[in-house]
Amino acid sequence: MIREVIRIRDMWFSYNGAPVLKEINLVIKEKEFLALIGPNGGGKTTLLKLMLGLLKPDRGSILIFDRSPHEVAHRIGYVPQSLYTNQGVPVTALEVVLMGRRMPGSAWRRYQSRDKNAAQKAMEQMGIWSLRKRRVGALSGGQRQRLLISRALVAEPDMLFLDEPAANIDAKGQGELYDLLKALNKHMTILLVSHDLMVVSSYSHAVACVNERLHYHDEAEITEEMMEAFQCPVDLIAHGQPHRVLRPHKE
Amino acid sequence: MLDALQLDFFRHAVAVGLLASLLCGLIGTLVVINRLVFLSGGIAHAAYGGIGLSVFLGIPFLAGTLGFALTSAWVMAAITLKAKHRSDTIIGVVWAVGMALGIILIDLTPGYHVDLMSYLFGSILTVTREDLYILSGAGLFVILVVGYFYHDLSSMAFDEEFARLRGVPVEGLYFLLVCMVALSVVLIIRVVGLILVMALMTIPPYIAEGYTASLRSMMLLSVCLSVLFMTAGLYLSFSFNLTSGAAIILTAAVGFFISMGLKTFLKGRKKTAR
């Protein structure tokens, strides 16, 4: 039987009194590749942060690996949007990746050679090992994005949450990134916030549209219902290829 | 300068200057990268309330200012953690309330005639052996804490949320950091006064930031720059009979402008090299 790794039951969340998420129910099975789509401000990032235990729900429950999120957050690799990191801190790219090797309750611990080997592997995977001595503030947007992905991978997580990881990465890099995710998906569960509907249709197993409420569809297609009831996805028309996205399986 | 070193008070002043440089370099670096400059300014000015309180109650200044600074630092830290977007307003309020309270308390104290100027501009030339011991203790404490939490501190500064996920005790560490800032600010006030303490805590790290790629080297360079500004300032103060705190800060300011000029020059050269 395939294990359920995420279980959210009747979860509500509001921010400063304004409801952000309502009545969220979601079950994610091991090794699933779920794409989260939805309009800006629809609550996608908030949902990720709730699942990471960075925010607490007002009502309802979230279980990750059958535990509460803050107990197991270190088993999840998280790739935030890079604009939330502080570029003014003088750290090298390698140091940033090593930050992903920290473990709860180990302030005194210094990095050892196996941490450095893991960092090298993760950085080589993203093609940024040659930038290891570069200061973070001197990296380009795309390089920084790859760096944050390396930092998430370095702890060899059981699950990967990515918040628009392809932003700032060029087309070739994006293709490589998604192929890597596909390979990683063989042994880890992946949740991906993306506006790129090509990705939704060609890589994910399932799609969830988040716009205050959550609508889950266990095939990689976007239904009429999602579009109408949830105004999802916002940039469907802008992409100009609605057919491929709407019916990816019928060829 | 060598003649001056024969004098007891001047030797003390130099020693205190070196110890204060250590605090400035380590804590100032953390203040600058965590963008706590305004909060530190708030602590420094609110500490004036502590001076008023000490005068009013007749307790030692250090106890009064440190107690007051730590309390106001905790209040500001608690509020800034909860409501980040309003933190500047709250800090501004605590800043002013602390100063106003200090002034009122001194008004209420009969027969008060302590030289206020020495608290506004510092009095490094009148430090005692006791001050030296206290600063040494504080320096040791800050080195140990920063050394122990070094990686956690840099993780927190770079990406607080990610640090939290990796089990870094972000909230506790933030309070600890703010306490160390309060401690350093109160002790450095003794050297350059509360008006000038912020310049001394921010100028060396700001210069150092431009030339270093790691937190460790930024701290080291900041300490070295502080030592340089402190000793040069003291020398000028002694030779030309100037107020020591102001002489130190102006020396730092000269360093700041030289560094700015150097950076622009290096940038220009890079461009022409291309």
Side-chain angles (χ1 to χ4, degrees):
Chain A
M1 204 192 95
I2 300 174
R3 210 155 64 101
E4 287 172 359
V5 287
I6 298 178
R7 173 174 284 277
I8 302 179
R9 206 175 274 158
D10 190 28
M11 194 270 293
W12 295 62
F13 180 79
S14 60
Y15 187 74
N16 284 343
V20 179
L21 294 168
K22 290 176 178 169
E23 214 187 333
I24 306 289
N25 287 289
L26 180 67
V27 172
I28 297 173
K29 296 199 175 78
E30 199 166 22
K31 291 176 198 167
E32 190 163 312
F33 193 138
L34 175 73
L36 284 170
I37 58 170
N40 292 335
K44 305 179 295 288
T45 300
T46 306
L47 183 60
L48 285 189
K49 286 187 181 173
L50 282 155
M51 288 191 276
L52 289 162
L54 291 169
L55 299 170
K56 299 260 173 296
D58 299 341
R59 249 173 68 185
S61 67
I62 302 175
L63 290 177
I64 312 284
F65 303 121
D66 297 319
R67 309 280 285 276
S68 71
H70 72 270
E71 289 177 295
V72 288
H74 62 277
R75 290 173 60 190
I76 303 171
Y78 176 45
V79 182
Q81 294 180 33
S82 70
L83 64 137
Y84 295 122
T85 56
N86 182 353
Q87 306 307 321
V89 179
V91 282
T92 60
L94 178 62
E95 282 178 289
V96 168
V97 174
L98 283 169
M99 287 174 189
R101 292 292 290 186
R102 299 209 70 70
M103 289 299 285
S106 63
W108 52 271
R109 197 174 151 263
R110 293 295 175 260
Y111 299 120
Q112 287 149 11
S113 57
R114 71 192 149 95
D115 296 320
K116 283 170 190 155
N117 293 339
Q120 180 171 0
K121 194 180 144 210
M123 291 177 88
E124 278 171 349
Q125 237 169 356
M126 294 311 301
I128 52 166
W129 178 240
S130 59
L131 303 173
R132 63 189 175 279
K133 287 180 185 155
R134 198 74 77 75
R135 200 182 138 163
V136 178
L139 297 178
S140 75
Q143 290 169 335
R144 203 177 302 150
Q145 195 71 53
R146 288 158 185 266
L147 181 67
L148 296 186
I149 298 169
S150 303
R151 182 183 67 169
L153 293 176
V154 75
E156 289 153 18
D158 299 316
M159 193 148 44
L160 204 52
F161 290 1
L162 304 105
D163 200 346
E164 296 183 40
N168 296 319
I169 295 187
D170 57 28
K172 179 172 165 279
Q174 287 189 17
E176 289 166 4
L177 170 63
Y178 292 126
D179 287 339
L180 172 69
L181 291 182
K182 203 169 183 175
L184 291 170
N185 186 223
K186 287 188 185 117
H187 56 93
M188 63 175 90
T189 314
I190 294 180
L191 257 73
L192 174 74
V193 171
S194 179
H195 286 293
D196 188 341
L197 296 162
M198 282 300 295
V199 176
V200 175
S201 59
S202 40
Y203 290 92
S204 67
H205 306 151
V207 57
C209 178
V210 187
N211 189 10
E212 263 189 34
R213 291 166 192 278
L214 183 143
H215 184 85
Y216 179 84
H217 192 68
D218 65 359
E219 274 180 79
E221 64 171 13
I222 292 146
T223 60
E224 301 282 339
E225 188 196 352
M226 276 181 170
M227 289 177 64
E228 280 158 25
F230 293 86
Q231 283 132 39
C232 264
V234 277
D235 55 356
L236 182 63
I237 294 148
H239 260 257
Q241 293 182 311
H243 301 296
R244 221 195 289 194
V245 176
L246 283 168
R247 293 278 176 268
H249 298 300
K250 289 177 188 165
E251 287 175 356
Chain B
M1 187 92 171
L2 285 175
D3 295 342
L5 277 172
Q6 303 289 325
L7 303 165
D8 231 15
F9 77 91
F10 198 80
R11 267 209 309 275
H12 283 169
V14 171
V16 163
L18 295 182
L19 285 166
S21 299
L22 185 73
L23 291 180
C24 281
L26 295 181
I27 298 302
T29 294
L30 293 172
V31 164
V32 167
I33 64 166
N34 286 296
R35 299 187 186 136
L36 295 175
V37 175
F38 194 57
L39 188 134
S40 312
I43 294 174
H45 286 77
Y48 192 77
I51 292 171
L53 193 69
S54 312
V55 171
F56 187 72
L57 297 177
I59 54 173
F61 280 110
L62 188 65
T65 44
L66 194 56
F68 210 88
L70 283 175
T71 314
S72 55
W74 274 67
V75 169
M76 287 189 268
I79 292 166
T80 48
L81 265 180
K82 283 250 149 50
K84 272 217 163 100
H85 53 291
R86 278 278 167 269
S87 59
D88 53 346
T89 313
I90 305 292
I91 291 168
V93 170
V94 177
W95 175 314
V97 167
M99 284 218 84
L101 206 62
I103 293 167
I104 299 289
L105 283 171
I106 290 171
D107 284 348
L108 292 178
T109 312
Y112 163 71
H113 293 294
V114 175
D115 179 18
L116 264 187
M117 286 297 277
S118 73
Y119 292 94
L120 295 179
F121 296 102
S123 54
I124 194 173
L125 295 175
T126 62
V127 290
T128 59
R129 191 168 281 274
E130 211 169 276
D131 290 324
L132 211 57
Y133 292 146
I134 293 169
L135 263 174
S136 310
L140 192 66
F141 172 72
V142 166
I143 288 179
L144 289 177
V145 172
V146 171
Y148 186 81
F149 289 108
Y150 177 78
H151 289 294
D152 280 359
L153 284 167
S154 68
S155 282
M156 177 171 83
F158 179 68
D159 184 347
E160 186 197 306
E161 284 188 337
F162 190 86
R164 215 182 277 255
L165 293 181
R166 300 310 312 171
V168 175
V170 167
E171 252 137 59
L173 207 54
Y174 185 74
F175 274 102
L176 186 62
L177 175 60
V178 168
C179 286
M180 288 195 297
V181 172
L183 178 71
S184 309
V185 162
V186 165
L187 294 177
I188 297 168
I189 282 179
R190 190 85 177 84
V191 183
V192 292
L194 76 84
I195 311 265
L196 305 177
V197 59
M198 288 325 297
L200 201 56
M201 286 193 78
T202 50
I203 292 176
Y206 180 80
I207 297 173
E209 203 237 303
Y211 304 95
T212 47
S214 79
L215 194 55
R216 201 179 282 114
S217 47
M218 180 172 166
M219 285 174 170
L220 265 173
L221 185 56
S222 302
V223 172
C224 295
L225 287 170
S226 297
V227 167
L228 182 71
F229 299 150
M230 205 80 87
T231 42
L234 269 178
Y235 175 72
L236 291 175
S237 153
F238 187 77
S239 311
F240 301 102
N241 195 22
L242 305 168
T243 307
S244 54
I248 292 167
I249 297 301
L250 278 185
T251 315
V254 169
F256 176 78
F257 289 117
I258 290 176
S259 160
M260 293 261 278
L262 195 65
K263 261 183 222 170
T264 338
F265 175 70
L266 287 177
K267 251 190 204 156
R269 267 187 48 164
K270 237 185 206 171
K271 260 184 203 153
T272 46
R274 266 179 213 162

